[in-house]
Amino acid sequence: MSDILKLTAVEARKALDSKAISATELTNAYIGAMDETRGLNAYVAETQSKALEMAAASDKRLAEGKAGPLEGIPVGVKDLFCTKGVETTACSNILKGFTPTYESFVTNQLWDAGGVMLGKINCDEFAMGSANETSAFGPAINPWSSEDGPDLAAGGSSGGSAASVSSGSSLIATGTDTGGSIRQPAALCGIVGMKPTYGRCSRWGIVAFASSLDQAGPFTRDVADSALMLEAMAGHDKMDSTSADVAMPDLQAAMQAGVKGLKIGIPSEYVMDGMDPAILKLWEQGQSWLKDAGAELVEISLPHTKYALPCYYIIAPAEASSNLARYDGVRYGSRVDEGGSLDEMYAATRSAGFGDEVKRRIMIGTYALSAGYYDAYYLKAQQVRQLIKTDFDNAFTQVDAILTPATPSAAFELGVKQDDPVTMYLNDVFTVPANLAGIPGISVPAGLSEAGLPLGLQVLAGSFREDRIYQVAKTLEEAAAFQLNPVRAAGGLR
Ligand code: GLN
């Protein structure tokens, strides 16, 4: 089959069931595409022989009629997920050489569903960043970059996941989203990225960044694949005390339901200075699409939106400074022995092992948590977080879902924001509020910038109402008819 890379996961499952293709054939096509797109730096470790073993096992189960929902589907795994026997570094030098003895809950669910692991995927160091530039392996490159122009950012922190799904070097990929790390790279690479409700996917075995915000989710080429992958990833887990025991709503039915009669909130605070005019236009276009499909648009107010970024950039670094205290050169990864005392070894290991952005977050977080400043920063940020959550609670008494832009701009050139952390942090302006409130959100590719780069629309819904998200996302996808057309994709995808 020549167009094998063009199949969505749903289509590939059908082709596998009908024996039109085999899992081994599909996996080999992706191994070829990984080879072809290596210049995008999407993978940090390729596990091709493991992939072929898993594909052979899938073919056996398919032949025996025991196929799971993701049977034979090639999956890329963000390097933040612990994978048993496969080095897991969180793209940090400090974790180089760390090979977990156990599998994360989420990836385990994917393998139980029949998924085939292609390898570990590039991301920002400890998932801190918006351009994949803080990775110890160098940045992933956006496949929409032109052949002769500058390399564009794939977004971050899950930049490699978005680059690989968009360029055809994985069919689906895992990501994590603490402040936008699934939705922003998905928007910049023209694919679908979903952050589930906090608690929907277990955090067990995912390298922790900010534990009250971190959530795993799917990267896919379309909305139906997103639902399929999320159903497999999600589930209650006793090993994560914040994992929720709440049944997943019927996402398949939701995607059939349309939006007739739904109330869609349009938050007035999401018009920002300096926003790309093409994004404003796309947002208005999205509103018309939903209205034409029978939804009612309701202007809403989320008055504390402007505090979301400052609040996030206190809480996330505070939690990070505490989570990252465990990397001391004793228990995991790399160690630098200098001086002779234990303290000197800690200092040398952490100085050499962490990159600049991670050190910046540790310092901000430690400061915000220190005795004299705790009330003024950390406690205040927690109070503001509650106000932001209350804004959403109030909004969802009036509306079923909220429509916003996903990012304030299309993909930017690598390097241009690297020396200006505040400009980089502004990338998360539309995505961070959902993490603070714990609610689910999706980014759906919906149009192009003037330069022909992808732009996304974001749909938000109340906690555990992923059905609402997929209901609206499916309608947007049908209306937008977005074409995934990156220049630097594998030949078989173009
Ligand atoms: N860009 C944000 C940050 O740097 C979000 C990262 C994420 O969601 N992991 O913190």
Side-chain angles (χ1 to χ4, degrees):
M1 193 182 224
S2 64
D3 276 353
I4 198 163
L5 288 181
K6 288 194 177 143
L7 299 174
T8 65
V10 170
E11 290 165 350
R13 279 297 297 116
K14 287 199 187 115
L16 287 161
D17 277 340
S18 69
K19 313 272 183 290
I21 58 170
S22 72
T24 302
E25 201 183 330
L26 184 62
T27 298
N28 271 318
Y30 276 90
I31 289 175
M34 287 160 81
D35 247 15
E36 239 188 292
T37 56
R38 214 160 267 141
L40 298 177
N41 201 23
Y43 282 85
V44 297
E46 297 182 4
T47 54
Q48 300 178 340
S49 46
K50 189 179 171 87
L52 288 169
E53 272 168 37
M54 290 175 90
S58 281
D59 279 329
K60 192 156 171 276
R61 285 190 294 270
L62 282 156
E64 289 166 351
K66 291 182 189 153
L70 289 179
E71 201 65 68
I73 300 299
V75 185
V77 178
K78 185 178 184 180
D79 203 29
L80 217 63
F81 292 79
C82 285
T83 40
K84 188 173 176 180
V86 178
E87 191 178 5
T88 300
T89 68
C91 293
S92 177
N93 283 322
I94 211 161
L95 270 176
K96 287 209 176 141
F98 169 62
T99 302
T101 52
Y102 57 91
E103 189 75 29
S104 84
F105 179 88
V106 162
T107 47
N108 207 27
Q109 293 275 100
L110 293 172
W111 316 142
D112 276 354
V116 169
M117 172 167 156
L118 293 172
K120 300 301 289 287
I121 287 196
N122 205 352
C123 61
D124 279 296
E125 185 178 5
F126 287 104
M128 299 174 192
S130 304
N132 209 143
E133 284 170 330
T134 72
S135 166
F137 297 92
I141 292 164
N142 191 318
W144 292 74
S145 313
S146 62
E147 292 287 4
D148 42 0
D151 290 342
L152 304 178
S157 65
S158 314
S161 302
S164 79
V165 171
S166 164
S167 67
S169 68
S170 67
L171 178 44
I172 59 177
T174 65
T176 60
D177 190 313
T178 304
S181 280
I182 293 176
R183 291 159 288 158
Q184 184 254 16
L188 267 40
C189 291
I191 58 169
V192 177
M194 161 73 175
K195 182 201 93 76
T197 308
Y198 183 78
R200 180 64 87 189
C201 293
S202 165
R203 291 180 295 105
W204 195 75
I206 300 176
V207 175
F209 164 10
S211 306
S212 76
L213 300 160
D214 297 343
Q215 183 58 205
F219 278 98
T220 56
R221 295 197 200 129
D222 73 6
V223 172
D225 279 8
S226 180
L228 177 72
M229 185 175 177
L230 177 61
E231 284 166 344
M233 292 170 78
H236 178 57
D237 176 19
K238 286 199 294 277
M239 301 298 277
D240 170 2
S241 61
T242 61
S243 161
D245 194 4
V246 178
M248 181 73 87
D250 185 344
L251 305 183
Q252 303 303 324
M255 288 187 294
Q256 305 286 317
V259 293
K260 202 161 187 306
L262 279 197
K263 291 196 172 126
I264 308 292
I266 310 298
S268 48
E269 291 81 3
Y270 278 56
V271 182
M272 305 262 172
D273 288 346
M275 207 162 136
D276 182 338
I279 292 196
L280 210 54
K281 221 170 102 199
L282 180 69
W283 190 18
E284 281 160 10
Q285 174 69 259
Q287 297 173 34
S288 313
W289 286 331
L290 295 180
K291 200 164 164 215
D292 292 347
E296 184 191 334
L297 302 177
V298 181
E299 200 184 305
I300 57 164
S301 175
L302 300 167
H304 298 94
T305 299
K306 61 174 176 292
Y307 303 117
L309 267 184
C311 171
Y312 171 85
Y313 277 100
I314 295 292
I315 292 175
E319 294 185 14
S321 76
S322 160
N323 273 325
L324 269 56
R326 76 190 71 175
Y327 304 107
D328 54 7
V330 176
R331 287 166 291 182
Y332 317 90
S334 65
R335 171 191 298 196
V336 179
D337 253 323
E338 261 171 29
S341 78
L342 188 60
D343 278 344
E344 282 164 326
M345 188 278 286
Y346 289 159
T349 297
R350 289 168 68 84
S351 300
F354 291 135
D356 288 349
E357 182 61 29
V358 172
K359 285 179 187 157
R360 181 181 296 123
R361 307 263 180 137
I362 291 174
M363 286 190 283
I364 295 172
T366 307
Y367 182 83
L369 289 174
S370 59
Y373 297 100
Y374 181 94
D375 289 355
Y377 293 102
Y378 186 71
L379 188 67
K380 181 71 87 195
Q382 291 289 17
Q383 289 163 336
V384 172
R385 179 179 189 171
Q386 186 56 47
L387 293 174
I388 289 165
K389 188 175 177 305
T390 307
D391 281 356
F392 282 108
D393 290 346
N394 291 338
F396 289 122
T397 63
Q398 301 167 54
V399 297
D400 301 297
I402 295 173
L403 182 73
T404 81
T407 58
S409 75
F412 45 90
E413 244 176 76
L414 280 170
V416 294
K417 301 189 184 190
Q418 207 171 8
D419 298 325
D420 183 357
V422 174
T423 311
M424 190 66 95
Y425 298 169
L426 283 171
N427 268 289
D428 309 325
V429 65
F430 299 131
T431 48
V432 147
N435 300 80
L436 291 168
I439 61 174
I442 199 168
S443 172
V444 182
L448 297 174
S449 71
E450 237 165 58
L453 296 171
L455 299 174
L457 286 173
Q458 176 177 236
V459 182
L460 303 170
S463 285
F464 301 107
R465 293 310 305 266
E466 280 84 357
D467 52 333
R468 291 287 191 230
I469 300 261
Y470 283 98
Q471 209 176 336
V472 179
K474 187 75 183 167
T475 302
L476 288 173
E477 176 176 69
E478 280 165 6
F482 181 85
Q483 294 292 315
L484 180 64
N485 195 17
V487 188
R488 300 199 203 171
L493 194 68
R494 272 179 269 142

